Amino acid sequence: MLTAQRVLVTYGSRHGSTADIAQWIGDVLRARKIDVVVLPASGIQDLEPYDAVVIGGGLYSGRWQKDAARFARRNRRELDRRPVWLFSSGPLDPSASEGEIPPPKAVARIAERVHARGHMTFGGRLAEDSDGFLTRRLVAEGRGGDFRDREQIRAWGEHIAAEVNHTGPAG
């Protein structure tokens, strides 16, 4: 019998799209009887209670949202002691559903530093009511919309669940 695992799914999100994806991944893990905590990266103080970590960041100009990047940087040593997976959200088109998108250089460096077991890029969402000059401009140019693929996110969460259940407690 497998020992129960506790997984942290944490994220950096400006407009809530990446937070939603983190919650959906958490839901998949919970459905597989994994103890999951989903929290924003800015609020994590201690990784000791967690056997594995999933970190997500919204992509802005090829870089992760600052809270996600800061979390990974600050906790590099602790992350190195447990299984870690990374995800990014951001393409405002269907490209993330059509094929695997490699992480941008800045995210690839984070993945290397924390010895991530995997990275996935998911489509993003840009709502019409988003704030900020640039986001309003993108919406006006017709680049708004929701490009998140729930089935792709579910499948990736299932992959993580299978690995977490296979690995047993970190150590």
Side-chain angles (χ1 to χ4, degrees):
M1 180 143 179
L2 294 171
T3 304
Q5 297 288 295
R6 186 165 217 208
V7 177
L8 170 65
V9 180
T10 189
Y11 59 87
S13 184
R14 274 191 203 165
H15 303 288
S17 176
T18 306
D20 289 345
I21 293 170
Q23 190 61 56
W24 298 339
I25 292 168
D27 292 345
V28 170
L29 299 177
R30 267 186 217 97
R32 296 293 167 248
K33 308 296 185 223
I34 296 170
D35 183 14
V36 179
V37 176
V38 180
L39 293 170
S42 61
I44 308 299
Q45 301 299 318
D46 182 17
L47 292 181
E48 189 59 36
Y50 308 105
D51 300 300
V53 180
V54 178
I55 310 168
L59 288 173
Y60 303 95
S61 301
R63 296 188 184 278
W64 257 3
Q65 191 275 348
K66 66 180 180 177
D67 293 335
R70 187 177 299 132
F71 172 84
R73 212 173 29 252
R74 247 186 224 151
N75 294 289
R76 188 174 86 191
R77 287 190 180 103
E78 286 296 314
L79 291 168
D80 196 34
R81 296 183 197 139
R82 54 192 40 84
V84 176
W85 293 266
L86 308 178
F87 73 89
S88 300
S89 69
L92 297 175
D93 60 35
S95 62
S97 295
E98 295 169 349
E100 194 166 323
I101 297 175
K105 286 182 183 180
V107 179
R109 279 193 301 273
I110 292 169
E112 184 178 318
R113 288 179 183 143
V114 301
H115 299 98
R117 292 182 174 212
H119 174 273
M120 180 63 74
T121 299
F122 300 114
R125 176 181 59 103
L126 184 59
E128 289 188 27
D129 63 348
S130 296
D131 59 346
F133 172 77
L134 182 57
T135 54
R136 285 193 306 272
R137 184 173 175 180
L138 290 171
V139 169
E141 291 172 359
R143 294 195 50 201
D146 191 343
F147 298 95
R148 299 171 298 176
D149 181 337
R150 291 286 296 259
E151 179 54 30
Q152 180 190 36
I153 295 163
R154 185 202 60 75
W156 195 66
E158 293 284 355
H159 169 77
I160 293 170
E163 283 199 44
V164 166
N165 280 329
H166 185 289
T167 60

